[in-house]
Every structure is written in structure tokens, then in C-alpha cells.
Amino acid sequence: MSWKDNPKIRDLEPYATVHNYDMVVVLGIKPDGETYEIVTYGKTKSLCKQADGIGARLNRAVQAGMVIV
């Protein structure tokens, strides 16, 4: 069950279930190659919070130029 009423998060739940993942972190890149979004999902509230932290670290890495987008 998605903890937030966000369709992008809800879309990750079946993916996680099918592939037996407790957490999913997606870095989506828009067609311009510069705009991106990070969406996270966790099977439980605790895992959701952990996935959110991973997503935040990934975002900081992108912003610092450590990840080429």
C-alpha cells in the first residue's frame, strides 16, 4: 500500500511486489536530459522512510555533479 496519495508512488508498488523488492528508488529523466525526478517507495512506513533517505542522498549526489544525468 502506498503511504502517500501520489500516482507515481502507487505505480511503484506493483513493480516492487512482482520483483520482490522492499524498496524502489527511481531516477526519472525528462526528454530535455536535464530535468529529473526521484520517486521512492517502501513496503512499510519504515522502509518508505529509508527509501526516501536514499532518494534524498541520490538527489544530493546529482546536484553535486557526482551522478551524470
Side-chain angles (χ1 to χ4, degrees):
M1 117 165 233
S2 176
W3 303 106
K4 293 184 180 177
D5 190 25
N6 179 323
K8 291 176 183 175
I9 295 171
R10 286 194 312 267
D11 287 348
L12 295 180
E13 183 178 9
Y15 182 84
T17 301
V18 166
H19 297 286
N20 195 33
Y21 293 135
D22 285 342
M23 294 183 280
V24 177
V25 178
V26 172
L27 171 65
I29 303 168
K30 299 287 185 174
D32 66 11
E34 306 230 352
T35 307
Y36 68 93
E37 183 175 15
I38 297 170
V39 182
T40 63
Y41 165 82
K43 192 174 184 178
T44 66
K45 279 192 175 188
S46 174
L47 290 169
C48 185
K49 187 174 181 178
Q50 289 179 52
D52 190 50
I54 293 167
R57 288 196 308 272
L58 177 58
N59 186 52
R60 286 192 298 274
V62 171
Q63 293 295 315
M66 296 171 63
V67 176
I68 299 171
V69 179

